Amino acid sequence: METMKEKNHTALMEFILLGFGSGPGLKVGPFVVFLAIYMTTVLGNTIMVFLIRANSRLHTPMYFFLMNLSLVDVCYSSTIAPKAMVSFLTGSKSISFYGCATQFFFFGIFVTTEAFILAAMAYDRYTAICNPLQYPIAMSKQVCVQLMVGSYVCGSVNSMVHTVFTFTLCFCGSNEIDHFFCDIPPLLSLSCTNTDINELVLFTLSSLIIVSTLMVILVSYAFIISAILRIHTAEGRRRAFSTCTSHMMSVSLFYGTLTFMYTQPSSLASPTQSKVVSVFYTLVIPMLNPLIYSLRNKDVKEALGRNISSVFLK
């Protein structure tokens, strides 16, 4: 009995993140890949934030949300990538119980907040295209701030619920997490107690957040497409639609991977498949977002050009 108690205590003090291989030693390949993606993510999103802050022409609701999207992308990549890279470089796979809970909590905040920001951006585009005369009032600075604060509050509440439910479980078996960061599905698989309630809470909250925010996006775009089709000139339709294509690409990438990860039953989840998908939405999507919004956005490209010119003309 005493031995079992000691084993429980040891398991609760530390987890082992197996990452992409349980063998000892350095993982140079994964380290280089993660480093390249992470540096591109930080650089791209930092540039996006700087451009929006430095150019008065970009001080609009759409770019306010885009700036916050870039900040969130950097934050939730930063909760995952540095720890994973240290593990790859040093071979140290351990993470403390409280370190795991902290990583889990902040990752949950930022990934949930991103879902609500994408929904707010869709509503912004709907208002701009379908109700242009009401746009300055409907999307005033106060409304934009309220939407952002609401996004962070929803993210914090959702993450707190999952953190409490997950880290009050009894972990009395193996402490090896078959993942490269602390996520719900691999943590639930380590528990020696019944996790049916946790899986129900995960499915319910994830489905609620995904469905509600996705409904806002889909309904907004249904009205947007209807309004665009009523525009008589082809050029007018092209210009209206061009303001939405970048957002639609981000939504497709984000919600596709999120739905795959958190709404399927744990019995159907493959650890290897989950890790690959996790890399995509924790690192690749945050890296792609600034590229998507800059390469397909005339205002951003012009702002970038002006800033580059001003640097060389000094």
Side-chain angles (χ1 to χ4, degrees):
M1 188 70 178
E2 187 65 30
T3 303
M4 179 59 74
K5 288 181 179 179
E6 289 174 2
K7 189 175 181 182
N8 288 346
H9 180 73
T10 302
L12 288 173
M13 292 304 294
E14 185 179 77
F15 290 109
I16 305 298
L17 295 170
L18 297 181
F20 294 93
S22 57
L26 307 184
K27 301 291 186 297
V28 178
F31 171 78
V32 171
V33 172
F34 270 54
L35 179 63
I37 294 175
Y38 181 62
M39 293 302 294
T40 304
T41 298
V42 172
L43 180 63
N45 284 288
T46 301
I47 289 174
M48 184 66 73
V49 171
F50 169 76
L51 287 176
I52 294 171
R53 292 285 298 171
N55 290 269
S56 58
R57 295 183 185 180
L58 302 183
H59 291 177
T60 64
M62 181 176 74
Y63 293 107
F64 171 76
F65 293 125
L66 181 55
M67 180 180 69
N68 280 277
L69 181 68
S70 293
L71 289 171
V72 167
D73 279 342
V74 171
C75 288
Y76 88 74
S77 288
S78 297
T79 64
I80 306 300
K83 173 59 183 173
M85 288 189 291
V86 168
S87 176
F88 295 146
L89 192 61
T90 65
S92 173
K93 298 175 180 290
S94 64
I95 183 171
S96 69
F97 179 86
Y98 294 108
C100 188
T102 302
Q103 184 188 60
F104 179 91
F105 175 68
F106 282 104
F107 173 72
I109 290 177
F110 296 125
V111 75
T112 307
T113 300
E114 176 142 344
F116 283 98
I117 292 176
L118 290 172
M121 292 174 76
Y123 176 71
D124 170 72
R125 290 299 82 208
Y126 155 75
T127 308
I129 294 173
C130 300
N131 297 295
L133 296 179
Q134 297 294 321
Y135 185 71
I137 299 173
M139 296 304 295
S140 64
K141 183 177 181 180
Q142 182 180 2
V143 171
C144 291
V145 171
Q146 289 173 347
L147 287 171
M148 276 309 310
V149 171
S151 297
Y152 280 105
V153 169
C154 290
S156 300
V157 171
N158 177 61
S159 185
M160 179 61 73
V161 170
H162 286 307
T163 302
V164 171
F165 268 78
T166 301
F167 287 90
T168 52
L169 288 170
C170 180
F171 299 99
C172 56
S174 171
N175 66 340
E176 294 183 341
I177 300 175
D178 192 9
H179 216 315
F180 62 92
F181 71 98
C182 295
D183 200 10
I184 296 179
L187 280 167
L188 294 184
S189 68
L190 297 184
S191 176
C192 59
T193 53
N194 190 292
T195 60
D196 289 345
I197 294 178
N198 295 74
E199 292 186 14
L200 179 62
V201 170
L202 172 63
F203 178 81
T204 302
L205 287 180
S206 298
S207 298
L208 181 63
I209 291 168
I210 291 173
V211 170
S212 62
T213 54
L214 197 54
M215 280 299 297
V216 171
I217 293 169
L218 293 177
V219 171
S220 296
Y221 274 107
F223 282 106
I224 288 170
I225 292 171
S226 176
I228 289 175
L229 292 176
R230 291 198 299 268
I231 298 176
H232 298 296
T233 64
E235 177 63 19
R237 288 194 295 270
R238 187 194 66 78
R239 290 182 62 184
F241 193 71
S242 67
T243 64
C244 304
T245 52
S246 298
H247 181 253
M248 292 171 66
M249 291 174 65
S250 292
V251 165
S252 300
L253 291 171
F254 182 78
Y255 279 91
T257 54
L258 211 61
T259 302
F260 177 86
M261 278 297 299
Y262 297 110
T263 59
Q264 65 171 334
S266 59
S267 59
L268 300 179
S270 163
T272 302
Q273 195 176 47
S274 296
K275 281 186 272 191
V276 172
V277 174
S278 295
V279 170
F280 193 76
Y281 82 85
T282 59
L283 295 173
V284 176
I285 291 178
M287 177 188 70
L288 291 178
N289 275 341
L291 297 176
I292 291 171
Y293 282 101
S294 61
L295 294 177
R296 301 186 62 85
N297 190 300
K298 182 181 177 182
D299 293 334
V300 174
K301 287 190 288 187
E302 288 180 351
L304 181 60
R306 286 194 299 270
N307 279 272
I308 291 175
S309 299
S310 64
V311 170
F312 283 102
L313 289 175
K314 284 183 179 180

